[in-house]
Amino acid sequence: MSLLEVTDLTVEYSSGGYVVRPIDHFSLEMDKGQLGLLFGASGCGKSTLLSALAGLLAPVSGSIRVDGTLVTGQSAKGLTRYRQTGVGIVFQSFNLIPSLTALENIEIVLLTAGRPRAQARRRSEELLAMVDLGDRMHQRPGKLSGGQQQRVAIARALALDPPLLLADEPTAHLDYIQVEGVLNLLRRLVDADRTVLVATHDEQLASLADRVIELTPRQVYAGDASEHFELPDGAILFRQGDAGSLVYVVDSGLVQLFRRRVDGTEEIVQEVGERGHFGEFAPMFRLPRSASARAVGDTVVTGIPLRQFRDRVRTSALDEQARSDEG
């Protein structure tokens, strides 16, 4: 049975006055008792997706269902209840309260949720024992190693026994010895009633997972051949946020690169005329397109695979150097 169901999810937010859409029509299902690893380069939307799953960020469309509960569209009160009992969150920076002991960092979650103090104390002690920190429960975060702090953070996320645990780069600030301990703990947490989703950029962790989810934009394979595009006035070649595998050269006409602002207006980023090129960064760094491309007047462009483009640039540079030497 699916514990996590994400259907056609799209998330947008404002960044520097522009609209950014890191999650675009994304779908995912995970069963109970699965450990999933969410891979992708920095900026590809891993943290954004986890924030949406945690009920911290509202999507513009699509749905999220956790353990049968529809998360999207909940009232503020419903989201608060979901964040307390439906999902646990582990941050890469631990986010422990430095003035509280390890025990108190967990207790405060339970007390805030209305648990009796004695019950909160027993549950906190049990969780710290489970993460092998029973002998460190009265120490403050500053006295704990990075790996120990992360284990306290994991115990805190489990305080109210949520069915879904989300971890955002939980090993990012740890050395390899601490990493092993935290990963073994996350693996142990996956049981018949809990699902764990870990966002990471380290593909070496894939062997631990039951599911691997790739968020890095997948490039449309372009083969070795160039592609010819004849665009009428106003035609869109690609849109901001699209994946891409081609670099474009303008054979004739003009291409306008533009970005959509939060207020609905557009900003012209660049205009590329005949013999100019654009669009190399998306295939080069496996990033989404940072702007949209639109023809101004009747325009003809050629799309070139990245390898051919590199060879073309290298040849052009050599020719330029040869002309300079001859001069």
Side-chain angles (χ1 to χ4, degrees):
M1 175 183 176
S2 295
L3 185 137
L4 173 62
E5 299 175 59
V6 181
T7 305
D8 206 26
L9 193 74
T10 297
V11 182
E12 289 183 352
Y13 59 82
S14 170
S15 177
Y18 301 108
V19 175
V20 178
R21 179 180 283 187
I23 306 297
D24 193 10
H25 299 289
F26 175 81
S27 296
L28 168 69
E29 286 192 15
M30 288 186 66
D31 294 335
K32 291 184 177 182
Q34 282 193 321
L35 171 61
L37 291 187
L38 186 63
F39 284 130
S42 297
C44 73
K46 299 190 302 296
S47 296
T48 299
L49 177 59
L50 292 191
S51 294
L53 297 180
L56 299 172
L57 188 62
V60 296
S61 63
S63 65
I64 299 169
R65 192 177 296 272
V66 175
D67 203 21
T69 298
L70 185 63
V71 177
T72 42
Q74 286 272 2
S75 64
K77 185 177 180 180
L79 283 174
T80 298
R81 185 166 55 249
Y82 166 70
R83 287 192 290 264
Q84 285 182 333
T85 61
V87 62
I89 311 168
V90 180
F91 302 96
Q92 62 174 295
S93 55
F94 318 139
N95 283 10
L96 300 177
I97 300 173
S99 60
L100 300 182
T101 65
L103 185 71
E104 291 165 342
N105 264 280
I106 302 170
E107 275 186 317
I108 195 170
V109 175
L110 292 151
L111 294 172
T112 302
R115 300 296 193 272
R117 184 169 294 276
Q119 184 186 106
R121 174 60 58 96
R122 285 195 303 272
R123 174 66 173 162
S124 300
E125 290 173 347
E126 290 169 1
L127 287 167
L128 285 172
M130 184 189 73
V131 299
D132 302 321
L133 287 175
D135 60 340
R136 302 293 183 115
M137 65 176 62
H138 297 298
Q139 293 190 352
R140 291 184 171 84
K143 296 294 185 180
L144 301 175
S145 70
Q148 290 169 338
Q149 290 185 63
Q150 193 60 289
R151 280 188 275 158
V152 174
I154 292 171
R156 180 184 58 187
L158 296 171
L160 295 168
D161 199 25
L164 176 64
L165 181 68
L166 307 174
D168 190 4
E169 299 280 6
T171 61
H173 302 304
L174 309 181
D175 61 40
Y176 69 93
I177 295 175
Q178 296 169 342
V179 166
E180 183 176 347
V182 169
L183 292 177
N184 283 334
L185 172 59
L186 290 172
R187 182 71 257 184
R188 293 203 320 261
L189 292 177
V190 178
D191 56 31
D193 298 315
R194 180 173 290 115
T195 297
V196 179
L197 181 59
V198 180
T200 182
H201 65 277
D202 188 353
E203 296 189 4
Q204 297 180 73
L205 308 182
S207 59
L208 289 171
D210 302 303
R211 289 285 310 281
V212 172
I213 302 101
E214 175 67 64
L215 266 193
T216 302
R218 296 187 181 278
Q219 308 301 331
V220 179
Y221 178 64
D224 295 322
S226 300
E227 294 187 42
H228 193 66
F229 300 87
E230 296 184 4
L231 306 172
D233 182 40
I236 300 295
L237 181 62
F238 57 74
R239 294 190 180 278
Q240 182 178 332
D242 287 351
S245 60
L246 297 175
V247 183
Y248 296 94
V249 176
V250 179
D251 299 316
S252 64
L254 183 70
V255 171
Q256 215 170 53
L257 301 178
F258 66 96
R259 293 189 182 126
R260 184 162 58 98
R261 294 193 181 99
V262 175
D263 61 7
T265 60
E266 294 177 355
E267 177 192 34
I268 305 303
V269 178
Q270 185 182 4
E271 291 188 337
V272 184
E274 188 172 336
R275 299 180 65 183
H277 68 269
F278 61 94
E280 65 269 31
F281 290 106
M284 191 176 296
F285 298 106
R286 298 185 69 198
L287 293 171
R289 298 289 188 187
S290 62
S292 302
R294 176 173 55 207
V296 178
D298 292 338
T299 299
V300 177
V301 301
T302 299
I304 304 173
L306 183 60
R307 181 177 297 178
Q308 285 190 27
F309 175 72
R310 285 172 169 161
D311 291 342
R312 177 173 177 154
V313 170
R314 190 178 299 112
T315 300
S316 177
L318 290 173
D319 290 345
E320 182 66 28
Q321 182 62 48
R323 285 193 293 270
S324 175
D325 291 344
E326 289 172 1

